Amino acid sequence: LISGQSCMNSSIEQSSKAFRLLNPKTLYNPQPFAYSHIAEVTQFQRVLHISGQGGENQRGLLSTDFAVQVRQAFQNIELALTHVQATLQDTAVLRILVVDHNPQKHQFLIQEMQKLWKDQPFPACTLIPVPCLALAGMLIEIEATAYCQ
C-alpha cells in the first residue's frame, strides 16, 4: 500500500472497520446468492465510487462471451480499486446490470462472486436486468461503492 494508507476489509465481527455487512435472521439467507441484505457504513475516511465497469479490456475490446465479460468487469473494478489503494473486499455495495438476464447468467454471476469473496461477507447487491447497455455487444456493467478507513 502506498504512503501507509490502507482500506480496511469489512467484517461483521470487527466494528473498527469502515462498514459491516449484515443478514438479519428475520430475512432469508442471501449467502447462496452471493450478496448481503445490509451494508451499514459506520466509520470511514474515504468513499470510493467506481463507475459502471463493463467487460472491455484495456484496449477497449469486448468479448462476445458473457463469462469473459463478467470476469473482465470484476477485474476492471479490482484495477480501479487498486489504483486508490483499496481492494474488492472494501466494497459495500454493487449494482449489476445484465443484458438479456436469465437463470444461467445469474448462476454464473453468483459463482464468480463466491470465488471473489471467498470466506468474506458479500456486499449488498442489486441485479438489474436491462435490454441493452452503452456499447453494442456489452453484456454486463458493474458499479461499486467502497468505504475505506
Side-chain angles (χ1 to χ4, degrees):
L1 299 176
I2 298 172
S3 305
Q5 294 179 358
S6 68
C7 287
M8 306 301 267
N9 290 336
S10 66
S11 173
I12 293 172
E13 295 82 27
Q14 297 180 358
S15 61
S16 64
K17 304 299 181 184
F19 60 91
R20 297 186 312 156
L21 297 169
L22 306 165
N23 292 304
K25 292 190 185 311
T26 54
L27 297 173
Y28 72 92
N29 179 7
Q31 297 301 306
F33 302 102
Y35 75 96
S36 293
H37 284 298
I38 301 168
E40 178 187 30
V41 180
T42 54
Q43 302 173 29
F44 60 94
Q45 294 179 355
R46 299 188 302 148
V47 179
L48 308 172
H49 296 281
I50 308 301
S51 65
Q53 297 296 306
E56 309 93 350
N57 64 22
Q58 190 176 21
R59 296 188 321 263
L61 302 176
L62 279 170
S63 169
T64 58
D65 184 79
F66 179 75
V68 172
Q69 285 197 31
V70 169
R71 290 184 187 113
Q72 184 67 54
F74 276 116
Q75 182 179 8
N76 292 346
I77 290 171
E78 287 183 288
L79 290 168
L81 289 167
T82 298
H83 185 76
V84 290
Q85 298 81 46
T87 70
L88 210 52
Q89 283 65 42
D90 295 311
T91 303
V93 180
L94 293 173
R95 281 156 300 282
I96 303 174
L97 293 84
V98 176
V99 173
D100 297 327
H101 179 263
N102 62 45
Q104 294 78 23
K105 288 180 178 179
H106 191 197
Q107 190 57 43
F108 180 79
L109 187 57
I110 289 168
Q111 290 170 353
E112 288 302 301
M113 289 180 65
Q114 288 171 337
K115 290 177 196 173
L116 292 168
W117 276 273
K118 187 174 178 67
D119 302 321
Q120 296 287 326
F122 297 108
C125 182
T126 299
L127 189 151
I128 305 166
V130 296
C132 65
L133 290 164
L135 301 175
M138 192 174 183
L139 303 175
I140 189 164
E141 185 171 351
I142 305 172
E143 181 183 346
T145 304
Y147 295 86
C148 303
Q149 292 287 14

